[in-house]
Amino acid sequence: MSETSSHDVVVLGGGSGGYATAFRATELGLSVALIEKDKVGGTCLHRGCIPTKALLHAGEVADATREAEVFGVQATFNGVDFKAVNAYKDGVVSRLYKGLQGLVKAHKITYVEGEGKLVAPNAVEVNGTRYEGRNIVLATGSYSKSLPGLDIDGERVITSEHALTLDSAPSSAIVLGGGVIGCEFASAWKSLGVDVTIVEALPRLLPPEDEQSSKAVERAFRRRKIAFKVGTPFESVEHTDGGVRVTLKGGETLEAEILLVAVGRGAATANLGYEEQGVKLDRGFVITDERLRTGVPNVYAVGDIVPGLQLAHRGFQQGIFVAEEIAGQKPPVIDEAGIPRVTYCDPEVASMGLTEAQAREKYGDKVETFTYDLAGNGKSQILKTQGFVKLVRAPEGPVVGIHMVGSRVSELVGEAQLIYNWEAYPADVAALIHGHPTQSEALGEAHLALAGKPLHVHG
């Protein structure tokens, strides 16, 4: 007979959504068991957001060294030591992981290492021990998807997880998928000396972003000599002596050392007992209501397994929400459009709220837009970056979309989030003072212009 352990909350999955649920629940006085089959922190910390951004920063340093002369600095670029880049990347992950382990202990969470399975609507079993909870939170995350007939071998045909463990940079790579993951790896690899071609079936790179943002990234990628083919579906791949040969629809072929498959992420819900206990799935994703309830009493789901944006910060917020919901605090429902979106390629892309197309669909043709070019921003000139801040405004109403392209614009998304979520009017933001010289002034200038009092804008 298996042992039984009882808790207020049992969380299955220790990634962003799972550990945020556990931390907030203990802060609210609830007893928590957190079950994770690998390492606390999940994909984001170990195989996603953090190591990818470290790779991108190493690439940024490489580019800065190559281009140092532009700033009057004499530097010699001698190449990239990929093992040292990996050591830097792994060091960042390791320090954050240690910190997270310390937080798990500090919160007095019952942390369970092992594969868990939902065996009853109120119980998860791990290695013969049954963890019963008055509430169950499913937070099992996601995995790298492939396409039918496209086999991942981990050597020539790889996913982002494999890409982060390469011992050396490939000489050339084909990236299948021009979304966030595909564009970030293409950008990092190009900076680290890889010859890159992106293949995207949809008509443009970063398809969910505002069309103007996509076009700006495409122009920048052309300047950087990152090749891409859009509106071009993949057909097949075969191994060659030097790597892979990819055939595209229409018969065109491309050759490279490796093929990175970056066609999105699926929900990690198979063989975990969800459906057997009455949890409804759709294409693997857990269906919930707006309060993240699965329909099975006291069973919730958070993070990448819930349909919507697969972002770590969405998982954090959902975890906090569910913990507060369980504790009876009745938190306000999360507005999915109010979640910041960032792609950390060069140039960066950051956005909030509706694209221009979505706003026109919702509000009609009287939607107003204004685009402030970073060429007029002093700090952007200093950084030698190009891009813009674009605002989308509901007719005579608040700002409902903010779209930014350029170096470091990810750091502006915090203010953009406040503007969107507070339903600010252009005049509200125009009255705020932005430090000079900062890139945040571009947000201020765009709102000044939309409020009818442009300052550094050519009429």
Side-chain angles (χ1 to χ4, degrees):
M1 187 175 160
S2 64
E3 292 177 49
T4 302
S5 173
S6 295
H7 305 268
D8 293 323
V9 185
V10 173
V11 183
L12 181 55
S16 307
Y19 81 69
T21 308
F23 288 4
R24 185 71 184 120
T26 58
E27 286 167 7
L28 294 169
L30 301 170
S31 63
V32 178
L34 178 62
I35 298 158
E36 169 55 49
K37 68 176 182 179
D38 187 14
K39 291 175 177 173
V40 67
T43 296
C44 173
L45 175 55
H46 300 285
R47 299 174 297 282
C49 328
I50 298 295
T52 312
K53 278 44 169 188
L55 208 59
L56 280 155
H57 184 61
E60 188 184 336
V61 173
D63 285 336
T65 310
R66 287 187 191 98
E67 296 156 14
E69 203 175 321
V70 173
F71 301 93
V73 176
Q74 294 185 356
T76 308
F77 179 72
N78 296 325
V80 174
D81 178 345
F82 215 73
K83 284 190 172 56
V85 170
N86 279 338
Y88 151 68
K89 165 179 67 69
D90 295 344
V92 172
V93 172
S94 176
R95 284 189 294 279
L96 290 170
Y97 178 44
K98 282 195 180 80
L100 200 49
Q101 287 173 306
L103 285 169
V104 169
K105 286 194 182 79
H107 281 83
K108 297 186 168 51
I109 290 164
T110 301
Y111 183 66
V112 184
E113 283 186 14
E115 288 200 38
K117 185 172 183 178
L118 192 66
V119 293
N122 70 334
V124 175
E125 192 170 289
V126 188
N127 300 328
T129 300
R130 185 181 172 100
Y131 295 86
E132 290 185 353
R134 289 192 300 108
N135 301 275
I136 302 288
V137 182
L138 309 176
T140 42
S142 59
Y143 65 92
S144 293
K145 284 199 305 192
S146 187
L147 296 176
L150 178 53
D151 295 326
I152 308 290
D153 62 24
E155 291 180 7
R156 295 293 182 196
V157 181
I158 66 173
T159 66
S160 56
E161 284 91 343
H162 301 117
L164 288 166
T165 60
L166 291 174
D167 291 335
S168 58
S171 58
S172 56
I174 297 163
V175 177
L176 182 57
V180 173
I181 296 170
C183 284
E184 287 187 350
F185 269 99
S187 183
W189 277 346
K190 181 65 182 179
S191 298
L192 296 170
V194 182
D195 186 20
V196 184
T197 303
I198 303 171
V199 175
E200 170 56 57
L202 292 173
R204 55 192 172 91
L205 297 180
L206 299 178
E209 292 292 345
D210 190 85
E211 189 169 352
Q212 204 171 327
S213 298
S214 292
K215 296 299 177 199
V217 169
E218 289 176 3
R219 282 195 301 276
F221 277 16
R222 281 190 200 100
R223 278 197 304 273
R224 296 184 60 200
K225 296 186 169 49
I226 297 174
F228 58 89
K229 295 179 180 298
V230 292
T232 312
F234 163 90
E235 285 220 328
S236 63
V237 61
E238 57 187 304
H239 285 235
T240 64
D241 290 343
V244 291
R245 182 181 298 115
V246 170
T247 303
L248 308 177
K249 192 170 183 185
E252 185 183 358
T253 61
L254 301 170
E255 295 199 19
E257 193 178 318
I258 58 169
L259 170 65
L260 170 65
V261 180
V263 294
R265 296 184 67 81
T269 56
N271 307 315
L272 294 173
Y274 291 0
E275 285 183 294
E276 292 89 326
Q277 301 308 324
V279 174
K280 288 189 177 64
L281 301 182
D282 178 19
R283 290 168 300 136
F285 289 92
V286 176
I287 302 307
T288 72
D289 65 8
E290 62 179 7
R291 303 200 75 81
L292 301 170
R293 297 175 293 209
T294 64
V296 178
N298 301 319
V299 178
Y300 300 82
V302 300
D304 285 1
I305 60 172
V306 179
L309 296 167
Q310 291 176 307
L311 299 169
H313 46 279
R314 174 178 179 253
F316 291 141
Q317 194 61 30
Q318 288 182 335
I320 292 166
F321 174 92
V322 164
E324 292 179 351
E325 179 81 352
I326 288 168
Q329 294 200 338
K330 298 187 173 62
V333 168
I334 297 166
D335 172 12
E336 289 278 315
I339 298 169
R341 305 179 295 273
V342 183
T343 305
Y344 294 86
C345 54
D346 178 19
E348 291 183 343
V349 180
S351 60
M352 282 300 309
L354 305 180
T355 64
E356 182 179 344
Q358 288 167 339
R360 291 196 184 284
E361 198 176 301
K362 184 171 179 178
Y363 298 107
D365 285 339
K366 290 194 174 170
V367 162
E368 287 181 83
T369 69
F370 181 81
T371 303
Y372 179 81
D373 195 312
L374 291 185
N377 176 259
K379 188 61 185 281
S380 297
Q381 282 292 322
I382 291 164
L383 294 172
K384 287 196 173 291
T385 187
Q386 295 174 311
F388 58 80
V389 171
K390 175 180 179 177
L391 304 182
V392 181
R393 182 189 187 184
E396 296 182 12
V399 173
V400 295
I402 300 172
H403 305 277
M404 303 178 284
V405 177
S407 175
R408 305 190 189 181
V409 295
S410 58
E411 300 299 336
L412 302 184
V413 86
E415 183 180 355
Q417 179 189 193
L418 293 177
I419 293 164
Y420 173 86
N421 285 302
W422 281 346
E423 299 178 1
Y425 280 57
D428 296 332
V429 184
L432 302 176
I433 300 168
H434 294 81
H436 176 75
T438 65
Q439 284 185 297
S440 73
E441 287 177 285
L443 270 173
E445 293 278 355
H447 284 85
L448 277 163
L450 208 48
K453 43 183 182 182
L455 192 60
H456 297 93
V457 176
H458 297 281

